[in-house]
């Protein structure tokens, strides 16, 4: 295909790599010449660095051995499509940020259950306070805590690890707010459906653990087994991490930003609606 079209597909995440083979490669040995194969790849996908590039190097080495000669007739140049050198900490920081939003948000439902067991919420039920007002007020408080934690993580990443912010700060704040809303709402959903704090703890772990492991926090989703792909696609943290990486380090998207926002908005609306419907004062 056309090189520009293929590179555009690579940058959009539709291809893993683009290999450009110069003309006349099949006659290099006869002419006693040498040339390089050009490889374009996305360094934000760790599977490319760990598997794809070494595999291509082995293929070219095997060709060199077959052709022979003191000077290898074929070499390989590597060029990342990233605007800056991407390190593992650059890949990791958005995942850590997303995981922090998840932990603080989901566990925010535990104090609500504790207050209900202590009959504090029951006393509030005897006042004109509406259930929706109680949930929304506490929701706002939890989101402020999450935003402060997110700001601290970004500050440490910038000052200690020199993680560069590639995208727009307003877009980043918007995704953090939306992700906070999703996970806090999920925490309150647990509080609405679970009666005691003792029974809520394992439920919180069951919710958090799959998202922490499967949503691309520490390794790329592309390296996950294919049979768990349907589960990965329904986890909200998958879309939070994807959106954060697109904005912070210009990583290759798993989904378009519109898809990420739509799925997260659907999660937030569904969790809040179910919480308000089933929340009990005692």
């Amino acid at each position: 295909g056309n090189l520009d079209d293929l590179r555009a597909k690579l940058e959009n995440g539709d291809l893993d790599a683009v290999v450009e083979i110069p003309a006349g490669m099949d006659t290099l040995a006869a002419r006693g010449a040498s040339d390089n194969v050009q490889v374009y790849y996305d360094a934000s996908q760790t599977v490319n660095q760990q598997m794809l590039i070494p595999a291509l190097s082995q293929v070219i080495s095997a060709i060199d051995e077959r052709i022979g000669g003191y000077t290898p007739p074929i070499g390989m140049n590597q060029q990342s499509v990233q605007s800056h050198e991407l390190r593992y900490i650059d890949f990791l920081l958005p995942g850590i940020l997303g995981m922090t939003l998840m932990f603080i948000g989901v566990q925010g439902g535990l104090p609500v259950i504790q207050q209900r067991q202590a009959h504090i919420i029951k006393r509030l039920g005897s006042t004109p306070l509406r259930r929706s007002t109680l949930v929304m007020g506490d929701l706002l408080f939890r989101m402020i805590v999450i935003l402060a934690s997110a700001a601290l993580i970004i500050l440490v990443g910038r000052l200690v690890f020199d993680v560069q912010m590639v995208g727009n700060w307003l877009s980043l704040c918007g995704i953090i707010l939306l992700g906070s809303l999703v996970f806090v709402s999920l925490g309150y959903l647990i509080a609405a459906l679970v009666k005691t704090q003792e029974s809520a703890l394992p439920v919180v772990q069951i919710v958090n653990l799959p998202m922490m492991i499967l949503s691309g926090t520490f390794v790329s989703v592309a390296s996950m087994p294919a049979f768990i792909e349907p589960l990965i696609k329904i986890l909200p943290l998958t879309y939070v991490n994807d959106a954060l990486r697109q904005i912070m380090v210009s990583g290759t998207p798993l989904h378009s930003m519109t898809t990420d926002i739509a799925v997260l908005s659907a999660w937030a609306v569904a969790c809040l609606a179910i919480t308000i419907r089933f929340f009990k004062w005692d």
Side-chain angles (χ1 to χ4, degrees):
N2 178 271
L3 179 59
D4 292 336
D5 294 339
L6 294 176
R7 287 196 59 176
K9 291 183 179 180
L10 171 64
E11 292 172 2
N12 289 331
D14 296 328
L15 296 175
D16 292 324
V18 173
V19 181
E20 181 184 9
I21 302 175
M25 183 67 74
D26 54 338
T27 62
L28 287 177
R31 294 185 282 114
S34 63
D35 207 340
N36 291 322
V37 171
Q38 182 69 50
V39 178
Y40 301 92
Y41 70 102
D42 178 16
S44 68
Q45 299 295 332
T46 55
V47 68
N48 287 341
Q49 299 187 55
Q50 296 171 357
M51 298 178 62
L52 180 62
I53 298 301
L56 288 175
S57 297
Q58 291 179 9
V59 170
I60 290 178
S61 296
I63 295 174
D64 288 336
E65 292 177 2
R66 290 285 298 271
I67 295 176
Y70 180 77
T71 301
I74 301 175
M76 181 177 71
N77 293 328
Q78 301 180 28
Q79 181 175 332
S80 172
V81 296
Q82 302 298 316
S83 59
H84 64 286
E85 182 181 356
L86 192 69
R87 305 162 298 164
Y88 180 64
I89 186 62
D90 298 318
F91 173 86
L92 182 62
L93 187 69
I96 294 296
L97 177 57
M99 185 177 67
T100 301
L101 302 183
M102 177 192 69
F103 278 133
I104 298 178
V106 174
Q107 293 179 355
L110 296 179
V112 177
I113 298 176
Q114 185 179 22
Q115 293 171 11
R116 186 167 57 204
Q117 285 186 277
H119 303 294
I120 296 174
I121 295 181
K122 184 177 181 180
R123 296 188 187 99
L124 291 175
S126 63
T127 70
L129 184 67
R130 300 175 61 182
R131 288 182 295 179
S132 58
T133 304
L134 174 65
V135 172
M136 292 299 179
D138 206 56
L139 176 67
L140 179 61
F141 168 73
R142 299 295 171 187
M143 289 183 65
I144 292 174
V145 174
I146 290 177
L147 288 174
S149 302
L152 181 60
I153 291 174
I154 295 173
L155 181 64
V156 171
R158 180 68 181 89
L159 296 180
V160 178
F161 299 102
D162 193 30
V163 175
Q164 301 294 323
M165 170 64 183
V166 176
N168 184 275
W169 284 100
L170 289 178
S171 299
L172 178 64
C173 291
I175 291 299
I176 291 175
L177 284 171
L178 181 56
S180 303
L181 178 62
V182 169
F183 294 122
V184 173
S185 302
L186 187 56
Y188 285 118
L189 175 60
I190 295 174
L193 300 178
V194 180
K195 299 299 183 183
T196 66
Q197 190 171 14
E198 291 76 12
S199 58
L201 287 173
V203 173
V204 168
Q205 296 302 320
I206 291 173
V207 170
N208 284 343
L209 190 60
M211 287 195 285
M212 182 179 68
I213 296 175
L214 302 178
S215 297
T217 300
F218 303 105
V219 296
S220 172
V221 171
S223 61
M224 299 290 179
F227 70 89
I228 60 174
E229 183 176 346
L231 176 60
I232 293 174
K233 287 184 176 181
I234 65 173
L235 298 176
L237 185 58
T238 300
Y239 299 90
V240 172
N241 286 343
D242 181 42
L244 289 174
R245 286 198 176 99
Q246 289 187 55
I247 297 172
M248 295 181 68
V249 299
S250 190
T252 300
L254 296 173
H255 310 281
S256 68
M257 190 65 70
T258 303
T259 300
D260 290 334
I261 293 174
V263 172
L264 293 174
S265 299
W267 266 96
V269 171
C271 289
L272 283 175
I274 298 173
T275 298
I276 294 174
R277 170 64 179 82
F278 291 99
F279 186 84
K280 292 181 172 54
W281 296 98
D282 53 13

